[in-house]
C-alpha cells in the first residue's frame, strides 16, 4: 500500500464510511428485520449501513484515483487535550465538585493552545469559575456540588 | 511525670470518641437533600416532585432539591439511588417503571432489596377514551366489538412499557381481546393521534384527556382505577363495567437506599405524610388528577412486590421485550 | 372587528406593571439561557416551577412563555460568534452566521438575526390570535402518513444542504440517519446500538451531537497549526447591517416565518426542523446558491425567522387544544393546571384575560427582546476581539457545563468529546457536518412514522398516495427529484 494513502483525503473518508457502515450492518444483525411492509427494528439500520458502505467504497476508490491530500496537518495534540479537558469535566464534577472541575478543564483546554501563560490561565480560571457559579448555581439554581462530590 | 504526649493522645481519643458518638446522633438534615426524579422535566412525575419538594423542604428544615436523571424509563435514576450512600441525603421518586422494568430490561440492582420504601404518595387513574367515530359506547360493547375483530382495533400509547401501554395490555390479558398496539413518542403525540382518529382508543392521563371529553372531542368509556375518579364521578370504572378486578394507575412513591438508618427513614416518612396532606399541596396534586394515599412503608413495600409480580405475568403474556 | 376588541382587551391586561415586569424578567432570562449551550427553557422553567405557585396565573404564564421564546433569540448569539449552537434550532444559523463572524460581519449577522426574529415573532403571535384554533385543527390532520411523506421530501431535498462534494454530503446524511437510530425504537421497544449502556437507550442527544460536531471540531481545527491562525480575519466593518443586507434578508425572513409558523404547530416537528427546511428552501431558490455556507445573510435571516415563528406557534396546540406537544409545553400546561386553569378548546371563552393577555404580552415580549438584543450586538462583537487563547477554553467549559445540565449525567459530557473527535476527523476529510445533523434530526421521525403508517394501514403502501396532504408531499418530492437530476444530467453532458 502506498504510504501516501494514509494522507489521501477521500481514501480515508471512504474508509471511515466503509467501517461505520459495516459496523452498522453487523450490529444490526441481532435485530429482527421483518419485511418491507412490516419493518422490524433491524430493517432501517441495515439498509442505511449498507448504503453508507456503498458510498464508502465509491469515495474510497475515487480517492485512490485522484490522490487529493488532506490539507494541513493533523492536530493530534490539541485534539487529545481538548477531548481530555471535556472528559475531565464530566468525570470530576460528580466526584470533586464544580469548582475543581472547572479549573481542571480550563487548564487542560488552555494547554491545547499554542501558547500557555500560566498567570493568564489562572486569571481566566478565577473569572470563569466565579461567573459559572454565579450563573449556574445561584442564578439558575442548578443543584451541582461546588466543592467535594456527592 | 508521665509522658505528656500519651496523656494528650488519650484525651484526644476520648474527645474524638465522644464527638463521634454525638455525630452519630447528629441532627438530620444538615445539608440539602437530593430528590432524584427518573424523568426529564415536564412529565407528571417531575411535576409531582416539584410540587412536593417545597413542602418537604419546609418540614425538614433544609432544601430538598429536585434532580432530574431521566433515561431508560427511570432505570438510570433508580440505579443511582440503589447505589447511593444510605445517609438520608438521597431519596427517589418512584414511578410505575420501578415495577415494570424488572420484566423488561436487565437491571444492575435489586428492585426490592436495594430500597427502603417510605410511602406511596398517590396515584392517578387513566381514562379509557375512544375517538367519537368508534362505535362502542361502553366497556361491554367494546369487548364484544373487539372480539368480533381480532387484530383490527388500534390502540395508541405514549411508548412501550408506559402505564398507558400496559393498561391496555392488562385489559387484553383479562378480557382476551386482541388489539394492535401503535406506539408514539410520549403523551402529546399519542393524544394527537387519538384526536385525529389515527388510533381508536387510548388509556390516557386523566387530567389531560378529560378536557377533550368535556369538549366533546373524545368519548370516555371508563376509568382504570378500582374506584371512580373524583374528577369524573359520572364515569364508571373498568372493573364495574365488566372486567372485575381490573386496576391500573400511574402512581408516585418515595423511597431511599436500603441501608438508610431507621431513624432517618421515620423522619422522612413523617415529613412526607405531612407534606402530602398539607392543604395547598393536596389541592395542587388533586388538580393534576392525583389521589393522595400516603400509606405506611410496609404497605408500600407490599404494593411494590405485588405489582412486580402482576406485571411480570402481563408482560410475559403480551410478549413484550424491552431489549 | 371582534378581534380588535379582544386585542385591545389583551393589551390592557398585558400593560399592567406587574405583567410587564414578569414579561421582561422572562425574556431577559430566556435570552441568557438561550446563549448558554445545553441549558434550555425546559430546565429553567422546571427550576422556576415552584415559584409559579405563588404567582397568579397570568403573570406566571407570561413569564414562562417569555423564557421559551426569548431563548430562541439568545440561541443564535453563540451560533454566530463561535459556531456553538445555544439552542437546537440555532444549529442551522451556525452555517452562515459563523462564517459572517469570521469575515468581520458578526455585527450585521447578530442584528439581522434579532430583526428577523422580531418580525417572525410578531407574525407568529398574530397568527395565534387570528387563526389559533384553525391552525390547531389543521395540525390534527397530520397523521403518520403525512409526516412520512414530509420527512421523505425533506430527505430528498437534503442534497441541497451540501456545499461541496455531493457524494460525501449524502453519505453524511446517511451517517446522520444512523446516529439518529441509536436508542429505543418507538415501534418495537427494542434498544438499538446501545451496547448495554443505559444512557444510550434514549439515544444520543441533539445538544451533544451539535456541540461536538460544530463547536468542538471547529476549535481543534483552529488550534491544529503551529503558526497562529487568525480566526476572525475580516476587519470589523460595522455593527449594523447595510441597506443591501436588509434588502437581501427581507424575503428570506418572510419565507422563513411562513415555514416556521407551519412547522411549529406540528407536534414533533419543532423549531429545529423548520430552520433546516427554510435553509434548504432559500438555498434552492437563491440566484447564487454557492454563497450559502460562506456567509450569506439569507442563511441567517431565514432560519432565525423560522425558529422564532415556530416558537410562537408551538403554543397553539397547548392553548387551543390542551395538548402539550413537547415537554416544555407540558410543564407550562401543568403550571396552568395547578393554578386551576384548564386550557383547551374552551380557554378562549373561559379565560379571555389569560389568552388575550398572553398574546398581547408575546408581542410586547418580542419588542422587548429586540430592544434588549440590538444594543448587545456591540458587546458581543467586542467579545470577539478577545485573544483566542482566552476564548476557546471558555467555549469548551460552557460546552461541558451545558451538556452536563441536560440530563445531569457525565455520560453526555463524555459523548461530546467522542463526537468532537469524530467531528474533527470529518472536517479534516472535508465531509460537512451540517448534512449529518439534518439526517440525525430527520431519521428517527422518518422511520418512526413510516413504520407506524404501514402498521396502521396493515402493510398497504398506497396509504401515502390516497391521503390528500400526503399525496401533495409525495408529488413535491418527485418534483424535487426531477429538478435535481435534470440539471445535473444536462451539466454532465456539457462537461463531456
Amino acid at each position: 500500500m502506498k504510504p501516501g494513502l494514509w494522507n489521501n483525503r477521500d481514501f480515508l473518508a471512504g474508509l471511515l464510511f466503509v467501517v461505520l457502515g459495516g459496523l452498522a450492518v453487523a450490529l444490526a444483525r441481532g435485530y429482527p428485520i421483518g419485511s418491507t411492509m412490516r419493518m422490524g427494528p433491524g430493517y432501517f439500520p441495515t439498509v442505511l449501513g449498507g448504503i453508507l458502505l456503498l458510498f464508502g467504497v465509491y469515495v474510497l476508490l475515487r480517492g485512490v484515483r485522484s490522490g487529493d491530500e488532506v490539507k494541513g496537518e493533523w492536530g493530534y495534540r490539541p485534539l487529545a487535550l481538548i477531548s481530555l479537558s471535556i472528559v475531565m469535566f464530566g468525570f470530576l464534577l460528580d466526584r470533586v465538585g464544580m469548582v475543581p472541575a472547572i479549573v481542571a478543564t480550563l487548564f487542560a483546554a488552555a494547554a491545547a493552545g499554542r501558547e500557555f501563560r500560566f498567570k493568564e490561565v489562572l486569571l481566566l480560571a478565577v473569572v470563569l469559575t466565579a461567573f459559572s457559579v454565579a450563573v449556574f448555581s445561584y442564578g439558575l439554581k442548578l443543584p451541582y456540588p461546588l466543592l467535594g462530590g456527592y | 511525670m508521665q509522658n505528656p504526649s500519651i496523656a494528650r493522645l488519650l484525651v484526644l481519643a476520648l474527645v474524638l470518641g465522644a464527638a463521634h458518638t454525638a455525630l452519630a446522633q447528629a441532627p438530620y438534615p444538615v445539608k440539602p437533600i437530593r430528590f432524584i426524579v427518573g424523568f426529564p422535566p415536564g412529565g407528571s412525575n417531575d411535576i409531582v416532585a416539584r410540587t412536593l419538594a417545597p413542602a418537604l423542604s419546609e418540614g425538614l428544615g433544609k432544601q430538598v432539591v429536585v434532580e432530574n436523571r431521566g433515561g431508560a424509563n427511570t432505570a438510570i435514576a433508580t440505579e443511582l439511588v440503589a447505589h447511593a450512600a444510605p445517609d438520608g441525603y438521597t431519596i427517589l421518586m418512584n414511578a410505575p417503571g420501578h415495577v415494570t422494568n424488572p420484566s423488561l430490561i436487565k437491571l444492575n440492582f435489586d428492585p426490592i432489596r436495594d430500597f427502603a420504601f417510605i410511602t406511596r404518595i398517590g396515584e392517578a387513574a387513566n381514562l379509557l377514551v375512544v375517538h367519537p367515530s368508534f362505535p362502542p359506547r361502553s366497556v361491554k360493547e367494546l369487548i364484544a366489538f373487539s372480539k368480533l375483530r381480532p387484530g383490527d382495533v388500534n390502540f395508541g400509547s405514549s411508548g412501550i412499557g408506559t402505564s398507558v401501554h400496559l393498561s391496555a395490555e392488562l385489559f387484553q390479558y383479562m378480557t382476551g381481546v386482541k388489539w394492535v398496539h401503535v406506539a408514539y413518542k410520549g403523551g402529546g403525540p399519542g393524544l394527537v393521534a387519538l384526536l385525529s382518529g389515527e388510533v381508536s382508543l387510548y388509556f390516557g392521563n386523566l387530567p389531560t384527556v378529560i378536557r377533550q371529553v368535556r369538549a366533546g372531542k373524545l368519548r370516555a368509556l371508563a376509568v382504570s382505577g378500582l374506584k371512580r375518579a373524583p374528577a369524573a364521578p359520572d364515569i364508571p370504572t373498568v372493573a364495574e363495567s365488566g372486567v372485575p378486578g381490573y386496576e391500573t394507575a400511574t402512581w408516585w412513591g418515595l423511597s431511599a437506599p436500603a441501608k438508610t438508618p431507621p431513624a432517618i427513614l421515620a423522619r422522612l416518612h413523617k415529613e412526607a405524610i405531612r407534606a402530602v396532606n398539607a392543604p395547598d399541596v393536596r389541592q395542587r396534586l388533586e388538580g393534576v388528577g392525583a389521589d393522595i394515599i400516603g400509606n405506611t412503608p410496609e404497605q408500600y413495600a407490599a404494593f411494590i412486590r405485588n405489582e412486580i409480580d402482576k406485571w411480570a405475568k402481563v408482560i410475559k403474556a403480551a410478549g413484550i421485550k424491552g431489549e | 372587528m371582534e378581534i380588535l376588541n379582544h386585542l385591545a382587551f389583551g393589551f390592557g391586561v398585558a400593560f399592567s406593571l406587574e405583567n410587564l415586569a414578569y414579561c421582561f424578567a422572562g425574556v431577559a432570562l430566556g435570552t441568557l439561557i438561550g446563549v448558554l449551550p445545553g441549558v434550555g427553557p425546559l430546565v429553567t422553567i422546571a427550576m422556576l416551577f415552584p415559584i409559579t405557585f405563588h404567582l397568579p396565573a397570568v403573570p406566571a404564564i407570561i413569564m414562562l412563555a417569555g423564557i421559551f421564546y426569548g431563548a430562541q433569540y439568545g440561541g443564535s448569539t453563540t451560533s454566530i460568534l463561535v459556531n456553538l449552537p445555544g439552542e437546537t434550532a440555532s444549529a442551522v444559523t451556525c452555517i452562515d452566521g459563523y462564517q459572517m463572524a469570521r469575515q468581520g460581519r458578526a455585527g450585521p449577522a447578530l442584528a439581522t438575526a434579532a430583526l428577523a426574529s422580531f418580525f417572525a415573532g410578531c407574525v407568529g403571535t398574530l397568527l395565534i390570535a387570528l387563526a389559533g384554533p384553525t391552525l390547531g385543527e389543521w395540525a390534527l390532520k397530520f397523521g403518520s402518513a403525512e409526516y412520512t411523506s414530509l420527512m421523505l421530501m425533506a430527505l430528498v431535498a437534503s442534497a441541497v444542504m451540501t456545499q461541496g462534494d455531493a457524494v460525501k454530503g449524502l453519505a453524511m446524511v446517511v451517517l446522520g440517519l444512523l446516529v439518529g437510530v441509536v436508542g429505543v425504537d418507538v415501534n418495537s421497544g427494542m434498544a438499538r446500538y446501545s451496547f448495554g449502556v443505559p444512557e444510550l437507550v434514549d439515544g444520543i442527544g441533539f445538544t451533544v451531537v451539535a456541540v461536538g460536531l460544530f463547536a468542538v471540531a471547529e476549535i481543534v481545527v483552529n488550534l491544529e497549526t503551529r503558526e497562529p491562525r487568525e480566526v476572525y480575519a475580516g476587519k470589523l466593518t460595522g455593527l449594523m447591517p447595510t441597506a443591501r443586507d436588509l434588502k437581501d434578508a427581507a424575503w428570506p425572513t418572510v419565507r422563513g416565518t411562513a415555514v416556521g409558523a407551519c412547522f411549529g404547530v406540528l407536534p414533533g416537528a419543532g423549531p429545529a426542523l423548520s430552520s433546516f427546511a427554510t435553509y434548504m428552501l432559500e438555498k434552492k431558490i437563491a440566484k447564487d446558491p454557492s454563497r450559502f455556507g460562506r456567509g450569506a445573510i439569507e442563511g441567517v435571516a431565514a432560519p432565525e425567522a423560522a425558529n422564532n415563528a415556530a416558537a410562537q406557534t408551538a403554543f397553539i396546540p397547548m392553548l387551543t387544544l390542551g395538548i402539550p406537544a413537547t415537554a416544555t409545553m407540558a410543564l407550562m400546561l401543568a403550571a396552568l393546571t395547578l393554578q386551576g386553569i384548564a386550557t383547551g378548546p374552551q380557554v378562549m371563552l373561559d379565560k379571555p384575560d389569560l389568552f388575550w393577555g398572553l398574546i398581547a404580552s408575546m408581542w410586547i415580549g418580542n419588542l422587548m427582546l429586540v430592544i434588549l438584543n440590538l444594543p448587545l450586538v456591540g458587546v458581543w462583537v467586542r467579545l470577539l476581539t478577545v485573544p483566542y487563547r482566552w476564548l476557546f477554553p471558555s467555549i469548551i467549559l460552557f460546552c461541558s457545563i451545558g451538556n452536563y445540565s441536560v440530563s445531569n449525567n457525565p455520560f453526555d459530557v463524555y459523548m461530546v468529546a467522542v463526537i468532537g473527535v469524530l467531528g474533527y476527523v470529518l472536517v479534516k476529510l472535508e465531509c460537512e457536518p451540517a448534512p449529518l445533523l439534518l439526517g440525525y434530526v430527520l431519521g428517527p421521525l422518518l422511520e418512526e412514522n413510516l413504520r407506524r403508517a404501514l402498521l396502521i394501514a396493515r402493510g398497504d403502501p398506497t396509504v401515502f398516495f390516497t391521503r390528500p396532504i400526503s399525496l401533495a408531499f409525495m408529488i413535491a418530492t418527485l418534483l424535487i427529484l426531477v429538478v435535481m437530476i435534470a440539471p445535473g444530467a444536462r451539466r454532465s453532458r456539457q462537461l463531456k
Side-chain angles (χ1 to χ4, degrees):
Chain A
M1 210 161 20
K2 289 195 293 206
L5 269 179
W6 290 116
N7 214 27
N8 182 323
R9 187 192 67 207
D10 279 358
F11 174 77
L12 289 174
L15 191 62
L16 181 67
F17 295 152
V18 166
V19 167
L20 288 175
L23 265 177
V25 174
L27 289 169
R29 267 186 327 172
Y31 314 139
I33 294 210
S35 65
T36 310
M37 287 307 135
R38 286 245 175 189
M39 295 182 200
Y43 194 94
F44 210 62
T46 310
V47 169
L48 289 177
I51 297 180
L52 188 62
L53 202 144
L54 289 174
F55 273 138
V57 169
Y58 175 81
V59 172
L60 194 151
L61 291 174
R62 195 181 68 180
V64 173
R65 223 159 31 111
S66 76
D68 286 332
E69 295 201 335
V70 178
K71 291 201 198 87
E73 27 186 276
W74 288 90
Y76 296 115
R77 189 169 157 271
L79 184 64
L81 281 168
I82 294 281
S83 313
L84 182 69
S85 70
I86 298 176
V87 167
M88 269 209 314
F89 184 82
F91 187 78
L92 290 175
L93 186 105
D94 270 357
R95 287 176 182 77
V96 296
M98 191 163 94
V99 170
I102 292 180
V103 174
T105 302
L106 279 171
F107 271 88
R114 275 178 281 278
E115 28 183 323
F116 186 90
R117 300 185 198 164
F118 187 80
K119 272 194 264 193
E120 269 187 11
V121 181
L122 193 60
L123 183 61
L124 190 68
V126 168
V127 168
L128 282 178
T129 307
F131 179 78
S132 306
V133 170
V135 169
F136 293 103
S137 295
Y138 288 108
L140 295 173
K141 299 216 185 350
L142 294 174
Y144 304 146
L146 290 177
L147 277 170
Y150 285 119
Chain B
M1 195 159 65
Q2 283 191 324
N3 196 328
S5 37
I6 295 186
R8 255 179 254 147
L9 272 171
L10 279 171
V11 171
L12 189 60
L14 270 169
V15 169
L16 281 176
H20 176 78
T21 324
L23 274 173
Q25 281 136 11
Y28 164 85
V30 298
K31 56 178 191 173
I33 298 169
R34 299 165 77 197
F35 192 178
I36 312 283
V37 171
F39 289 104
S44 69
N45 210 270
D46 174 70
I47 290 168
V48 170
R50 288 183 192 277
T51 309
L52 204 57
L56 273 176
S57 307
E58 222 181 280
L60 286 166
K62 274 282 175 213
Q63 247 225 319
V64 170
V65 181
V66 170
E67 209 179 294
N68 299 88
R69 294 257 175 174
N73 198 23
T74 75
I76 292 186
T78 314
E79 179 175 346
L80 191 149
V81 177
H83 298 141
D87 54 7
Y89 290 101
T90 311
I91 56 179
L92 175 67
M93 174 68 118
N94 295 114
H98 193 105
V99 301
T100 55
N101 278 341
S103 316
L104 288 171
I105 57 181
K106 201 168 80 69
L107 298 170
N108 294 334
F109 56 87
D110 184 311
I112 297 179
R113 276 196 288 261
D114 284 340
F115 294 92
F117 296 100
I118 300 177
T119 184
R120 190 149 81 107
I121 296 172
E123 66 179 12
N126 289 332
L127 189 58
L128 172 54
V129 282
V130 300
H131 191 260
S133 70
F134 193 59
R137 296 186 158 272
S138 72
V139 170
K140 281 212 166 59
E141 286 182 30
L142 175 64
I143 298 178
F145 185 87
S146 310
K147 286 218 158 112
L148 286 174
R149 300 165 180 72
D152 225 12
V153 175
N154 295 333
F155 77 89
S157 81
S158 55
I160 297 203
T162 60
S163 140
V164 176
H165 172 212
L166 294 175
S167 303
E169 293 296 343
L170 182 65
F171 190 95
Q172 294 175 79
Y173 179 75
M174 290 177 78
T175 60
V177 303
K178 279 221 165 356
W179 293 329
V180 173
H181 176 211
V182 183
Y184 292 84
K185 234 180 193 156
L191 194 52
V192 171
L194 179 68
L195 282 170
S196 68
E198 189 164 79
V199 293
S200 308
L201 70 96
Y202 193 85
F203 278 83
N205 171 244
L206 200 140
T208 317
V209 162
I210 195 83
R211 280 183 219 116
Q212 311 298 332
V213 173
R214 300 290 182 225
K217 306 262 179 179
L218 293 173
R219 193 187 315 132
L221 292 185
V223 290
S224 71
L226 214 46
K227 298 193 302 281
R228 294 199 178 194
D234 52 318
I235 303 179
T237 68
V238 175
E240 65 187 57
S241 310
V243 192
Y246 179 92
E247 181 193 8
T248 67
T250 293
W251 52 265
W252 308 280
L254 210 57
S255 59
K259 298 202 182 58
T260 308
I264 294 183
L265 285 175
R267 177 82 195 276
L268 281 168
H269 182 256
K270 186 168 125 220
E271 294 306 335
I273 301 291
R274 221 183 48 92
V276 150
N277 285 304
D280 55 336
V281 173
R282 221 197 157 92
Q283 185 198 26
R284 289 199 195 101
L285 288 181
E286 280 169 1
V288 284
D291 264 333
I292 309 292
I293 299 181
N295 55 10
T296 70
E298 294 74 33
Q299 289 170 320
Y300 185 33
F303 171 78
I304 296 276
R305 281 194 291 272
N306 287 340
E307 288 286 295
I308 293 184
D309 287 336
K310 167 170 148 192
W311 291 110
K313 291 199 201 83
V314 175
I315 289 172
K316 183 143 172 268
I320 307 172
K321 276 183 286 288
E323 240 172 6
Chain C
M1 250 192 350
E2 209 184 304
I3 284 282
L4 286 176
N5 285 339
H6 288 311
L7 280 175
F9 173 61
F11 275 105
V13 173
F15 259 106
S16 82
L17 209 59
E18 183 189 26
N19 290 337
L20 279 176
Y22 279 106
C23 184
F24 184 77
V27 298
L29 185 58
T31 309
L32 176 66
I33 61 173
V35 172
L36 298 171
V39 182
L42 183 62
V43 174
T44 314
I45 294 179
M47 285 298 143
L48 294 174
F49 199 68
I51 298 184
T52 65
F53 298 163
H54 308 292
L55 291 174
V58 179
I61 193 73
I62 284 180
M63 181 176 75
L64 295 183
I67 295 176
F68 183 72
Y69 60 82
Q72 293 302 336
Y73 272 76
S76 53
T77 306
T78 47
S79 305
I80 293 172
L81 293 177
V82 291
N83 207 37
L84 174 62
E87 283 300 309
T88 61
S90 317
V92 182
T93 313
C94 290
I95 306 176
D96 276 275
Y98 179 60
Q99 294 308 317
M100 282 183 75
R102 296 192 61 183
Q103 292 159 16
R105 302 237 295 148
L110 289 168
T112 308
L115 291 169
S117 300
F118 175 64
F119 177 82
C122 291
V123 172
T125 309
L126 203 63
L127 276 173
I128 303 182
L130 292 175
T134 321
L135 279 175
E137 295 290 334
W138 178 75
L140 280 183
K141 292 210 171 33
F142 257 73
S144 302
E146 283 75 17
Y147 273 98
T148 308
S149 2
L150 178 62
M151 295 305 140
L152 195 60
M153 187 177 81
L155 196 62
V156 166
S158 70
V160 175
M161 283 296 285
T162 49
Q163 244 73 272
D165 191 338
V167 178
K168 282 202 286 200
L170 285 174
M172 292 304 282
V173 174
V174 176
L175 183 57
L177 289 165
L178 272 172
V179 174
V181 166
V182 176
V184 167
D185 166 39
V186 176
N187 285 301
S188 68
M190 173 165 269
R192 299 186 290 191
Y193 297 139
S194 66
F195 307 112
V197 176
E199 287 84 352
L200 285 178
V201 167
D202 287 312
I204 304 177
F206 181 98
T207 315
V208 170
V209 176
V211 166
L213 277 185
F214 283 45
V216 177
E218 174 67 19
I219 289 180
V220 181
V221 167
N222 287 330
L223 294 177
E224 70 186 7
T225 53
R226 230 155 293 279
E227 323 89 54
R229 169 179 162 169
E230 199 52 66
V231 182
Y232 299 100
K235 200 169 66 74
L236 265 157
T237 46
L239 288 182
M240 287 295 129
T242 62
R244 180 68 204 275
D245 286 334
L246 290 174
K247 186 162 112 31
D248 285 339
W251 275 111
T253 303
V254 173
R255 286 189 287 261
T257 307
V259 171
C262 295
F263 275 79
V265 195
L266 299 176
L273 200 57
S274 54
S275 44
F276 269 112
T278 178
Y279 186 87
M280 295 196 289
L281 178 67
E282 287 307 312
K283 191 167 174 198
K284 195 70 209 147
I285 66 180
K287 282 199 263 300
D288 181 14
S290 65
R291 282 187 311 118
F292 280 74
R294 299 222 179 96
I297 200 153
E298 298 90 322
V300 172
E304 280 303 305
N307 69 30
N308 255 75
Q312 312 288 356
T313 54
F315 280 89
I316 290 181
M318 198 265 286
L319 283 177
T320 61
L321 296 174
I323 303 171
T326 62
T328 322
M329 289 297 152
L331 265 179
M332 289 206 242
L333 189 65
L336 286 175
T337 311
L338 288 174
Q339 300 261 1
I341 299 184
T343 65
Q346 318 294 354
V347 73
M348 286 210 287
L349 304 166
D350 292 342
K351 300 266 335 140
D353 59 333
L354 182 84
F355 187 80
W356 295 106
L358 179 63
I359 304 248
S361 92
M362 279 168 119
W363 192 86
I364 297 176
N366 273 289
L367 189 64
M368 283 185 188
L369 279 165
V370 79
I371 294 177
L372 197 66
N373 278 287
L374 279 177
L376 281 179
V377 169
V379 174
W380 295 125
V381 172
R382 204 70 44 80
L383 199 66
L384 288 185
T385 60
V386 161
Y388 197 64
R389 64 179 183 277
W390 295 354
L391 201 55
F392 81 83
S394 320
I395 300 173
I396 294 289
L397 177 66
F398 288 119
C399 287
S400 309
I401 301 186
N403 269 291
Y404 182 83
S405 75
V406 174
S407 281
N408 296 335
N409 199 325
F411 185 82
D412 286 339
V413 182
Y414 303 150
M415 280 309 286
V416 173
V418 170
I419 304 276
V421 172
L422 178 69
Y424 176 66
V425 170
L426 289 171
V427 169
K428 285 300 282 182
L429 297 178
E430 295 184 30
C431 302
E432 299 154 50
L436 195 157
L437 203 61
L438 177 60
Y440 166 82
V441 169
L442 280 183
L445 286 170
L446 175 64
E447 186 199 8
E448 177 191 330
N449 281 293
L450 175 63
R451 285 166 63 189
R452 191 184 300 135
L454 285 174
L455 174 66
I456 294 177
R458 303 291 188 267
D460 176 17
T462 65
V463 68
F464 301 113
F465 300 96
T466 49
R467 293 169 63 110
I469 302 183
S470 176
L471 180 62
F473 286 130
M474 289 305 257
I475 295 180
T477 309
L478 219 56
L479 283 173
I480 297 180
L481 261 175
V482 167
V483 164
M484 278 194 331
I485 299 182
R490 236 184 315 129
R491 232 182 293 130
S492 68
R493 252 178 272 134
Q494 284 174 339
L495 282 173
K496 287 201 192 99

